[in-house]
Amino acid sequence: MTIYDIANALNISPSTVSRVANNKSGVRRETRQLVLKYMEEHNYVPNITARNLVNQSTKIIGILIADVRLAYHAESIYHIQRELTSLGYCCIIFNTGADDAAKAEHMQILSQRRVEAAVLIGSTFQCPLVEEAIQRHLPNTPVFLFNGHMDLPNVFSIMADEQNGVTNCVRFLMQKGRKHPAFLLNAHTPSNDLKLFGYEIGVRSYLHSEPLIYEAPEDSVQGGYDGTIQLMQEHPETDSIIYSVDLLAVSGLRALRDLGVLVPDQVSVIGVDNSMYAQISVPRLTSLDNKLLDMSMTTANMLIDALSGKQTTRSIMVLSDIKEREST
Amino acid sequence: MTIYDIANALNISPSTVSRVANNKSGVRRETRQLVLKYMEEHNYVPNITARNLVNQSTKIIGILIADVRLAYHAESIYHIQRELTSLGYCCIIFNTGADDAAKAEHMQILSQRRVEAAVLIGSTFQCPLVEEAIQRHLPNTPVFLFNGHMDLPNVFSIMADEQNGVTNCVRFLMQKGRKHPAFLLNAHTPSNDLKLFGYEIGVRSYLHSEPLIYEAPEDSVQGGYDGTIQLMQEHPETDSIIYSVDLLAVSGLRALRDLGVLVPDQVSVIGVDNSMYAQISVPRLTSLDNKLLDMSMTTANMLIDALSGKQTTRSIMVLSDIKEREST
DNA sequence: TTGTAGGCGTTATCAG
DNA sequence: CTGATAACGCCTACAA
C-alpha cells in the first residue's frame, strides 16, 4: 500500500495523499477526511525507508555495548531507548563483545545504517582502535561516550565521578574507624582504573598509609571469591574491602563468610554500581551509586539537543554517592 | 559520497560502481580495482536506506520486550542479536513496559519500519490486544513469540517447558523426602500460570495432597520476602517452596534466614530461570533451568529459516531441567 | 565490459 | 486547494 494506491483509489493525486499523511495544511477538509478514512481502513503506514531517503534522515540511533547481559548496561539502554522512542527515534543495538577490534568494526555498520547519532556504553570503548574507527567512519556523527573521554570534536562524554566516589568510600570507611581498606578488581578497564586511582588517593590522603590492591581472575563470581580468600590470607589485618563492582563484592561476601569473618563487624565491604545484586546479597551491600539513571537520562537529553542543532556541553560528570546498607 | 560521485571522479558510469559495490561479475579487473581503491580511500559505504528501498528489504528485525533490565530478557536479546547481526541483519529493540496496550501500539512502529520479522520476548505478549495488533499491522510478517502461543498463521512459538519443569521440581522435592511443598508467585503472567499449573499437577499426582499457593506483592525483592514470612507463619508445616522466579526465591531465602529456618535442612527452596541470582545467593539456589540460551539460538535459527523461505516448524518446545545447588 | 534509463515510495517545489 | 515533476541513492534490465 503506497500513496499511489490511495491516490488511484480516490482519484486524487499522490501529493495530496502525502500532505494528509504528513498532516500538512493546504488540503480541503472533506478531502482530508476521505483520505484519512481510507488510510485507517487499509492500515496504511508510510514507508519510513522511502521517507528517510528523501528526507536524508533515518531517525535511527545506534547503541553499542559490550554485553547487555551485564546489569549495568541493560539499565542504561532501557532509559535511553525509552526516551528516544518517545521522540520518534528508534535504536539499533549491538553487543560488540569485549574485543576492541570488534568494537571498532561496528562503527562501519553504524555508518552504513546512517545512524543520526551513536551511543557507546561502557568505559571500554575508550580505546585507540575505536577512536580511529570513529574518525574514519563517523567523523560527522555525534557520538556519546558513556564513562569515557575522547578528544574528538564530535564525541560527547557522560562520566560518572567514580574516582572521587571511591575516594569518598575510603573516607567513609575511615570515619567508621577502618584503618586498612583493600581494593579488589578483576579487570583493567578505564573505569576500573579510575576507581583504583580514587582508592589510592583516598588511602594516601585520609589514612596516610600504603594502598593494598588485589587483582582477581576475570570471572566475577569465582574471581571475587578467590581473590578475597587470597587477600585475607596474605593480609589478615585488612578491615575493609572496596570491590570494583557489586557482583565481585557479593562473591567476596561469600568468601568472608566461609572464612568465618564477620561483616561488617570485622570487615566492612563496599561495592560499586548500586545494582540489584547489592540489594539481595547477605548482608545487603553498601554500594557506590554511580547514578546510572541520571546518566542515561542526561545522555538522552544531550543527544536530542545535539540532533536538534542546539549547542550543548561536550562533557558532563554525574556525581556519585554512597548508598549505605548492612555491609559497612 | 554516492555511487555518482565515484562514477564522476573516475569517469565511469554509476552502474559499474554499483556492480563493484555489490561484488558482481561483469567488470574488468582493472576497473574493479580502481573503484575498490577509490572506495577504500574515501570510506565509501553504500546507503542502506536507498538500497533497501529498491530491494524491498530492510534487513531489520524488531525485538519487543517488556523490560531489558530483567536478566531473563537481556540474555535472550544478547544471543538473538549476535546471531542475526552475523547474518547482516540489525535489531531495533523496544522496551514496551508492562501495559498490554503499549505493547500493541509498538506493532505499528514495527510495521512502519518495515521489519522483516519480529521477536516478542516474554509470555506477557500473549494477550488479545497484541494478537489483534499483529493481525492488523503485521499480518504477513513472521512473528516469533517467546514463551507464548498464538493461533495465527504468521506467528511462531518458542516455548520453555515450564509446566512439566515445575512438575518435575515437585517430584524432585518428593524424592528428597519433602511432603509439603508450597508455590509462591508475584504476578499472573501466562508463563507463571503454566508453572503454577505444573505445580498443582505435581502435588496432586506425586504427593496426593492439596496445593498451597501464595501470591506475593508485585515487587520481587520485597514481595519474595513478605510472601515467605506470611507463608511460613500461616503454614509452618511447609518443608519446601518453589518460587516462580529466582529473584523471588533469593528474597525468600533471606526471609527464611531471618525466621531462623535452615535451608535446606528444614525447608528446601527452588527458583526458576537458573540466573545469576541463583549462583550468588546464600545458600546457592537450586533452580529450574529453562534453557534460555537454547531458546534464543533456536529462535534465531527459525527466524533465519523463515526469512529465507524455508518451511520450519511453527512451534517448538525446549525441555527444561533442574540445576541442583545448595538450597535443596 | 560498460552505459542508459526506469523505478523503489516519499517529499518538496512549482504551476495551475 | 490540487496536481505534475524532480529529486533522494541505489539496483537492474536492456542496450551498446
Side-chain angles (χ1 to χ4, degrees):
Chain A
M1 165 106 336
T2 73
I3 51 172
Y4 276 82
D5 298 330
I6 303 181
N8 285 335
L10 265 39
N11 261 316
I12 55 176
S13 83
S15 340
T16 303
V17 181
S18 173
R19 287 193 190 92
V20 176
N22 291 287
N23 206 5
K24 293 210 168 166
S25 62
V27 181
R28 205 183 352 142
R29 232 196 153 75
E30 305 156 34
T31 319
R32 184 184 299 275
Q33 290 308 324
L34 200 68
V35 175
L36 246 24
K37 178 155 162 281
Y38 192 92
M39 286 178 168
E40 171 70 17
E41 278 170 2
H42 293 73
N43 291 315
Y44 167 80
V45 246
N47 184 325
I48 279 230
T49 306
R51 184 178 273 182
N52 288 340
L53 185 59
V54 46
N55 286 339
Q56 301 281 59
S57 85
T58 57
K59 291 277 186 181
I60 295 182
I61 308 295
I63 300 184
L64 261 38
I65 45 179
D67 190 335
V68 240
R69 293 174 300 180
L70 307 179
Y72 180 88
H73 294 164
E75 183 80 27
S76 311
I77 285 196
Y78 178 83
H79 297 293
I80 295 177
Q81 182 268 307
R82 297 215 68 163
E83 192 70 17
L84 289 175
T85 299
S86 73
L87 278 122
Y89 288 89
C90 87
C91 299
I92 58 178
I93 298 176
F94 297 90
N95 294 277
T96 62
D99 181 42
D100 283 357
K103 291 197 176 83
E105 278 167 25
H106 278 78
M107 299 305 151
Q108 189 165 0
I109 303 184
L110 297 187
S111 141
Q112 191 159 350
R113 291 280 176 179
R114 300 293 192 272
V115 297
E116 298 188 14
V119 182
L120 316 186
I121 298 177
S123 72
T124 55
F125 282 94
Q126 181 189 316
C127 68
L129 245 45
V130 169
E131 187 159 351
E132 211 169 90
I134 291 178
Q135 290 184 73
R136 192 176 163 78
H137 298 291
L138 302 171
N140 301 308
T141 308
V143 174
F144 294 82
L145 191 53
F146 231 74
N147 245 345
H149 177 78
M150 273 181 202
D151 205 10
L152 294 175
N154 59 318
V155 176
F156 297 70
S157 293
I158 300 90
M159 317 269 291
D161 188 16
E162 295 178 313
Q163 180 188 312
N164 262 307
V166 174
T167 302
N168 290 338
C169 288
V170 175
R171 189 181 55 189
F172 175 84
L173 290 171
M174 177 200 71
Q175 287 163 348
K176 293 257 176 189
R178 302 302 174 171
K179 300 214 166 4
H180 303 288
F183 186 85
L184 197 149
L185 77 171
N186 70 331
H188 273 287
T189 62
S191 164
N192 280 350
D193 287 344
L194 277 180
K195 296 171 195 166
L196 186 58
F197 191 49
Y199 162 75
E200 291 176 332
I201 291 177
V203 171
R204 294 228 164 80
S205 51
Y206 292 122
L207 297 165
H208 313 289
S209 64
E210 281 305 298
L212 177 59
I213 297 157
Y214 267 73
E215 294 191 27
E218 191 80 24
D219 176 78
S220 299
V221 175
Q222 197 58 46
Y225 190 90
D226 295 348
T228 304
I229 298 278
Q230 196 189 341
L231 162 63
M232 292 308 293
Q233 279 170 350
E234 295 175 6
H235 290 274
E237 78 279 11
T238 302
D239 59 13
S240 48
I241 310 176
I242 300 174
Y243 291 84
S244 61
V245 291
D246 283 343
L247 190 50
L248 214 56
V250 170
S251 298
L253 286 174
R254 182 192 303 277
L256 292 170
R257 182 165 154 278
D258 289 355
L259 287 171
V261 173
L262 295 178
V263 175
D265 300 1
Q266 295 170 261
V267 169
S268 296
V269 172
I270 300 187
V272 176
D273 275 355
N274 192 27
S275 63
M276 178 62 82
Y277 301 128
Q279 295 177 50
I280 65 171
S281 67
V282 177
R284 291 186 181 88
L285 182 66
T286 294
S287 184
L288 183 67
D289 183 356
N290 45 20
K291 303 297 172 72
L292 236 37
L293 199 152
D294 286 5
M295 284 179 69
S296 310
M297 302 305 258
T298 305
T299 305
N301 290 331
M302 284 174 72
L303 204 156
I304 288 150
D305 286 351
L307 289 178
S308 63
K310 265 187 227 160
Q311 276 298 343
T312 45
T313 325
R314 289 278 318 289
S315 205
I316 277 187
M317 182 165 281
V318 178
L319 299 189
S320 54
D321 60 25
I322 297 168
K323 173 73 185 173
E324 186 170 6
R325 294 201 180 81
E326 301 162 355
S327 69
T328 50
Chain B
M1 166 109 331
T2 75
I3 51 172
Y4 278 82
D5 299 328
I6 303 181
N8 285 335
L10 265 39
N11 261 316
I12 55 177
S13 83
S15 40
T16 302
V17 181
S18 171
R19 288 190 190 95
V20 175
N22 291 287
N23 206 5
K24 294 210 166 166
S25 62
V27 180
R28 198 173 9 129
R29 232 196 154 75
E30 306 155 34
T31 319
R32 186 183 298 275
Q33 290 309 325
L34 200 67
V35 176
L36 246 23
K37 178 156 162 281
Y38 192 93
M39 287 178 167
E40 172 70 15
E41 278 170 3
H42 293 73
N43 291 316
Y44 168 80
V45 246
N47 184 326
I48 280 230
T49 307
R51 185 179 271 181
N52 288 341
L53 185 58
V54 45
N55 287 340
Q56 301 281 60
S57 85
T58 57
K59 291 279 187 178
I60 295 182
I61 308 296
I63 300 184
L64 260 39
I65 46 180
D67 190 335
V68 241
R69 292 173 299 179
L70 307 179
Y72 180 90
H73 294 164
E75 183 80 27
S76 310
I77 284 195
Y78 178 84
H79 297 292
I80 295 177
Q81 183 266 309
R82 297 215 70 163
E83 193 70 18
L84 290 175
T85 298
S86 74
L87 279 122
Y89 289 88
C90 86
C91 300
I92 58 179
I93 298 176
F94 296 90
N95 293 277
T96 61
D99 181 42
D100 283 357
K103 290 197 176 80
E105 279 168 24
H106 278 80
M107 299 304 152
Q108 189 166 0
I109 303 184
L110 297 186
S111 143
Q112 191 159 348
R113 290 281 174 177
R114 299 293 191 272
V115 297
E116 298 188 15
V119 182
L120 315 187
I121 297 177
S123 72
T124 54
F125 282 93
Q126 181 188 315
C127 67
L129 245 43
V130 169
E131 186 158 353
E132 211 169 90
I134 290 178
Q135 290 184 75
R136 191 175 162 79
H137 298 291
L138 302 172
N140 301 308
T141 307
V143 174
F144 294 82
L145 191 53
F146 231 74
N147 246 343
H149 177 79
M150 271 181 204
D151 206 9
L152 293 176
N154 58 319
V155 176
F156 298 70
S157 293
I158 300 91
M159 317 268 291
D161 189 15
E162 296 178 312
Q163 182 188 311
N164 262 306
V166 174
T167 303
N168 290 338
C169 288
V170 176
R171 190 180 54 190
F172 174 84
L173 290 171
M174 177 201 71
Q175 287 165 347
K176 294 256 174 188
R178 302 301 174 171
K179 301 215 164 4
H180 303 290
F183 187 85
L184 197 148
L185 77 171
N186 70 331
H188 274 287
T189 63
S191 165
N192 280 349
D193 287 344
L194 277 180
K195 296 171 194 166
L196 186 60
F197 191 50
Y199 161 77
E200 291 175 332
I201 291 177
V203 171
R204 294 229 165 78
S205 51
Y206 292 122
L207 297 165
H208 314 289
S209 63
E210 281 305 298
L212 176 60
I213 296 157
Y214 267 73
E215 294 191 28
E218 192 80 23
D219 175 78
S220 299
V221 175
Q222 196 59 45
Y225 190 92
D226 295 347
T228 303
I229 299 277
Q230 194 190 343
L231 162 62
M232 292 309 292
Q233 278 170 350
E234 294 175 6
H235 291 273
E237 79 279 11
T238 301
D239 58 14
S240 48
I241 311 176
I242 300 174
Y243 292 84
S244 61
V245 291
D246 283 344
L247 191 50
L248 215 55
V250 170
S251 298
L253 287 175
R254 182 193 302 277
L256 293 170
R257 182 166 153 279
D258 288 354
L259 287 170
V261 173
L262 293 179
V263 176
D265 299 1
Q266 294 170 261
V267 170
S268 294
V269 172
I270 299 186
V272 176
D273 277 354
N274 191 28
S275 61
M276 179 61 81
Y277 302 128
Q279 297 177 49
I280 64 170
S281 66
V282 178
R284 291 187 182 88
L285 182 66
T286 294
S287 183
L288 183 67
D289 184 356
N290 44 20
K291 303 295 171 78
L292 235 38
L293 198 152
D294 286 5
M295 285 178 69
S296 309
M297 301 305 257
T298 304
T299 305
N301 290 330
M302 284 174 73
L303 203 156
I304 288 151
D305 286 351
L307 288 179
S308 63
K310 265 186 224 161
Q311 277 296 343
T312 44
T313 328
R314 288 279 318 291
S315 206
I316 277 187
M317 183 165 280
V318 178
L319 299 189
S320 54
D321 59 24
I322 297 169
K323 172 75 185 172
E324 187 171 6
R325 295 201 181 81
E326 301 163 355
S327 69
T328 51

